[in-house]
Amino acid sequence: TAGDLTTAGVVIYDSVNSAFKTYAGTDIILGTNPVYTWAAKPAANTVSAGTHIRINPSSFGGTHKTTIGPTAVSDGTRWLPAGGKQLLCRGSSSVASPLATASGATATAFNIAAHFSLPAGFFEYAGVGLEVIGLFQKTGADANASGFTIRCGTLASAGNDSVVGVTTTAAANREALVKGIMRVNTLGAANTAVFTSGPLQPNASNANLLTDKSSNVFDTTAVMYVVPAAICSANAAATHTLIEYEIWWVQ
C-alpha cells in the first residue's frame, strides 16, 4: 500500500523531471553536486547545512546565461550562493564588434536576445541580491551627455526600475563602466519589494553624475528581467554600444 511504501522509505526515479524522489514525491539529494531546477529544488531545511546543489541553467532566460548554472549551498534554513557569490550571466565582445547597440532620446533597451531573466521566486530571502556590471560606449560625433543604466523588473524592456546607472559628461566619445549591487529588503508581490542603495561607481569622479538605483519597487514572486539601457536626451540619433556585462548572485 502507499502507507507501506512511504514507511519503508522507497525511492523512485521521476524520468519526466530527471530526479530521484521519495514515494511521497519529495526530491532527495543524491550524488555530488546534483542538479535541480529552481522551482523543483528541495527545501533547504530538509538537508544538512553545507549541502551543495547546482541550479539547472534552464531555470534562467537569456542568451548569455551560464551554461552550467550557479551552485547553491544550504545553511540549514536557506539556499545561498556558494562562496557568497555565483555567476549567473556573462556577455563579452569588443569595441569593434559590440554585443548590441541602442539609440534614443528616452531610455532604450539594448537589443539582447531575450534579456536575462530570473525564475519566479528567485529572491526567497531578504538580504540576498544581484551584483550587476556593464561596460558601455558612446561613439560618433555627438557631443552630448549620455546615460547608461542596468535595470531589473518584470518587463523585458527599459521600463524596469534602475538598479544602477551613470550619466557621462558631454563628449563625442565616451566609455562608461557601471557597477552596482541590489539587495532585496522585503519580499512579495508588486508594491512590496524594495532594494537597498548600491555603492558608487568604481570610476566615479563626480557623484552628481551617478544614480545608485531608483526607489521604486518590483515583484519578487514573478519572473524578473535584468536589462541594460541607454539614453541621450539631447540627440535621439546618438549611438550607444554594449561591450560586456555580468550578473552575479550575491549573499
Side-chain angles (χ1 to χ4, degrees):
T1 67
D4 293 331
L5 290 170
T6 303
T7 301
V10 173
V11 174
I12 61 175
Y13 182 71
D14 179 355
S15 60
V16 175
N17 295 298
S18 300
F20 286 95
K21 298 182 177 181
T22 66
Y23 183 80
T26 303
D27 286 311
I28 64 172
I29 300 288
L30 287 179
T32 303
N33 207 18
V35 179
Y36 294 89
T37 64
W38 184 261
K41 67 187 184 303
N45 62 4
T46 64
V47 301
S48 300
T51 298
H52 286 67
I53 63 172
R54 188 171 293 280
I55 305 303
N56 195 308
S58 65
S59 299
F60 304 91
T63 303
H64 300 287
K65 62 186 178 182
T66 57
T67 57
I68 58 174
T71 299
V73 60
S74 171
D75 66 358
T77 303
R78 306 168 297 173
W79 288 112
L80 300 170
K85 184 176 180 178
Q86 286 284 312
L87 181 66
L88 300 178
C89 175
R90 172 181 285 148
S92 181
S93 188
S94 66
V95 172
S97 180
L99 290 172
T101 60
S103 61
T106 58
T108 304
F110 286 90
N111 186 22
I112 298 293
H115 292 288
F116 176 74
S117 64
L118 303 165
F122 182 73
F123 294 111
E124 294 184 315
Y125 308 101
V128 176
L130 300 178
E131 179 179 335
V132 294
I133 304 167
L135 179 60
F136 302 89
Q137 188 180 63
K138 182 181 74 171
T139 60
D142 180 75
N144 293 291
S146 290
F148 301 102
T149 54
I150 301 178
R151 297 158 177 257
C152 185
T154 55
L155 302 174
S157 74
N160 290 330
D161 188 38
S162 296
V163 173
V164 66
V166 62
T167 301
T168 70
T169 55
N173 294 284
R174 180 67 69 192
E175 195 164 82
L177 175 64
V178 174
K179 180 178 180 181
I181 295 175
M182 174 191 81
R183 295 189 188 278
V184 176
N185 285 338
T186 58
L187 307 173
N191 300 320
T192 63
V194 298
F195 44 86
T196 65
S197 295
L200 295 180
Q201 307 317 302
N203 59 344
S205 59
N206 185 346
N208 294 328
L209 300 178
L210 302 172
T211 56
D212 283 326
K213 83 167 187 59
S214 300
S215 59
N216 295 340
V217 297
F218 53 68
D219 185 353
T220 62
T221 68
V223 172
M224 291 199 299
Y225 296 86
V226 182
V227 179
I231 178 176
C232 180
S233 57
N235 183 359
T239 300
H240 306 120
T241 61
L242 175 64
I243 300 171
E244 60 184 55
Y245 71 108
E246 296 179 0
I247 302 166
W248 295 79
W249 180 27
V250 295
Q251 180 178 336

